[in-house]
Amino acid sequence: MSFSSEVKEELSRQVSTARHCQLAEMAALIGMCGDICISATDRYSLRIHTENQSVARKCFTLLQKTFNIRSDVSVRLQKRDGRGNMIFTILVKRHDDAIRVLQAVKILQQDGEISEQVSPANQLLVQMSCCRRAFIRGAFLAAGAISDPVKSYHFEISCTSEARAEQLRMLIRPFGPDAKIVKRKKYYIVYIKEGAQIVDMLNIMEAHVSLMKLENIRIVREMRNEVNRKVNCEAANINKTVNAAVKQVEDIRYLDKVRGLGTLPEGLADIAQLRLENPDASLKELGMMLNPSIGKSGVNHRLRKISQLAEELRQSKEENYYD
């Protein structure tokens, strides 16, 4: 089972005891994956489609608890891209039951008009913070997905219109996460890609078990990344030190060949000899070998002076060659 399915499974088992929250969640589910059917004789019925068995179970439970309606459930196999997916359909057949549900979730107005956008989270449904949480939870159950946090951080909810996506983003914003919107084919995607904010989203939807699992994965990933950063930094420092030592030895040998180390001032000659004898030693270790010892900066200054002398000699020889 994918992490996204685990989250939906957890959320499907959570049914609010407050009717106003049940209505808000039902509004999101119908708005995101519901169809209103009107017959030639003006008889209404309601269908909710989902590929997730847990979501189908949640819709069935909400209809029963909130409206005392026993809906029908059908299952069919849909083949797409060479693969077969199970499609669950929750059907409210009776006209009176469908009208009662649609009016309660503010889709069907008292005058018989249907909202231009199916379930655009009527403000009466999401006045309280708990109802906004329920609506976001319903939207995720209907059209949401979350990536495996072991691989990447990505949370999204697909909306069929930009207005609905913007509305959902505005419902999320007061809780803290900075959701963004992008168009993908014919859908508008409300998404979050930052790990800490996805944790916040799980908390908003009250998926606390999944939240703890994600936090544990985040801790392991961050520790691993920190270790890798330190190892890479240490490796880079070692390479830098080795390359510098190789260059210093080359400069010293060049000076010795052309002029002899005996022509160098005493301080430079001493450190040059130590570097030849100890090519792997650090600057601090070279400084401790001197008598009297000197610090790392002092050793570095002397070695840079030696490299400068060697470079001047090379340039002088090149100039004499061309002259």
Side-chain angles (χ1 to χ4, degrees):
M1 183 182 292
S2 67
F3 184 69
S4 188
S5 297
E6 289 178 14
V7 175
K8 289 187 177 184
E9 174 66 30
E10 180 183 355
L11 293 177
S12 71
R13 295 194 301 268
Q14 182 178 327
V15 180
S16 174
T17 56
R19 190 172 190 272
H20 48 81
C21 291
Q22 293 172 3
L23 288 174
E25 190 166 357
M26 197 73 237
L29 286 163
I30 295 173
M32 294 291 190
C33 58
D35 290 326
I36 302 169
C37 303
I38 307 175
S39 70
T41 56
D42 286 337
R43 306 296 289 179
Y44 284 74
S45 62
L46 175 64
R47 288 183 173 87
I48 303 173
H49 310 281
T50 177
E51 295 182 6
N52 190 297
Q53 185 176 357
S54 301
V55 177
R57 184 172 64 246
K58 181 67 174 284
C59 293
F60 183 88
T61 303
L62 283 174
L63 286 169
Q64 186 176 27
K65 285 184 174 293
T66 312
F67 302 99
N68 196 27
I69 294 173
R70 291 190 64 84
S71 54
D72 296 328
V73 181
S74 64
V75 184
R76 64 185 175 87
L77 180 64
Q78 182 184 61
K79 290 190 176 182
R80 185 172 57 191
D81 299 329
R83 295 180 302 174
N85 296 319
M86 303 300 292
I87 304 296
F88 299 87
T89 301
I90 297 85
L91 174 62
V92 180
K93 289 182 179 179
R94 292 185 66 247
H95 172 78
D96 292 341
D97 289 341
I99 292 292
R100 189 152 53 95
V101 173
L102 294 173
Q103 287 181 341
V105 298
K106 310 303 180 187
I107 293 174
L108 185 65
Q109 308 304 319
Q110 293 297 329
D111 58 6
E113 290 293 322
I114 295 176
S115 299
E116 187 174 335
Q117 293 183 50
V118 180
S119 183
N122 188 292
Q123 289 305 308
L124 293 174
L125 288 171
V126 290
Q127 287 182 333
M128 294 184 288
S129 176
C130 59
C131 295
R132 289 193 289 273
R133 289 175 183 269
F135 188 90
I136 294 167
R137 179 167 60 245
F140 177 78
L141 281 169
I146 182 170
S147 65
D148 183 351
V150 174
K151 300 176 182 177
S152 64
Y153 297 132
H154 184 82
F155 173 98
E156 69 173 43
I157 299 176
S158 301
C159 302
T160 54
S161 72
E162 186 176 6
R164 188 177 298 170
E166 181 60 31
Q167 180 183 61
L168 184 58
R169 189 174 74 90
M170 295 305 294
L171 287 174
I172 293 171
R173 178 177 289 179
F175 292 105
D178 182 22
K180 293 180 173 56
I181 299 173
V182 65
K183 187 174 183 181
R184 185 190 300 157
K185 296 183 179 179
K186 62 180 181 178
Y187 295 100
Y188 291 85
I189 312 299
V190 180
Y191 72 95
I192 296 170
K193 298 188 76 69
E194 205 276 314
Q197 293 190 15
I198 295 175
V199 169
D200 291 340
M201 287 302 302
L202 292 176
N203 186 47
I204 291 165
M205 298 187 299
E206 300 178 290
H208 301 302
V209 174
S210 300
L211 184 154
M212 293 304 298
K213 181 175 180 178
L214 175 55
E215 280 286 50
N216 289 336
I217 292 171
R218 282 186 69 222
I219 290 169
V220 171
R221 281 189 66 179
E222 288 177 5
M223 287 180 62
R224 185 181 294 119
N225 290 339
E226 183 64 23
V227 169
N228 287 339
R229 279 194 295 270
K230 288 183 177 179
V231 169
N232 291 338
C233 184
E234 187 67 25
N237 287 336
I238 290 172
N239 287 336
K240 185 178 177 181
T241 300
V242 169
N243 292 336
V246 169
K247 179 66 167 57
Q248 290 160 5
V249 170
E250 288 177 356
D251 290 340
I252 292 168
R253 285 177 175 164
Y254 179 76
L255 278 174
D256 189 27
K257 179 180 177 181
V258 176
R259 293 179 48 182
L261 296 183
T263 61
L264 295 175
E266 183 177 353
L268 298 184
D270 291 342
I271 200 69
Q273 191 61 43
L274 282 175
R275 172 51 87 197
L276 288 175
E277 295 171 357
N278 304 276
D280 298 329
S282 66
L283 299 183
K284 184 178 180 181
E285 291 170 340
L286 288 175
M288 295 295 293
M289 296 175 189
L290 291 170
N291 189 16
S293 62
I294 61 174
K296 181 179 175 181
S297 60
V299 174
N300 186 51
H301 175 75
R302 294 186 184 184
L303 289 172
R304 287 177 64 185
K305 184 65 176 175
I306 291 171
S307 294
Q308 184 180 347
L309 291 172
E311 191 60 33
E312 289 174 356
L313 266 178
R314 290 190 183 101
Q315 291 181 0
S316 176
K317 278 190 167 293
E318 286 181 4
E319 290 173 359
N320 291 335
Y321 175 81
Y322 287 113
D323 289 343

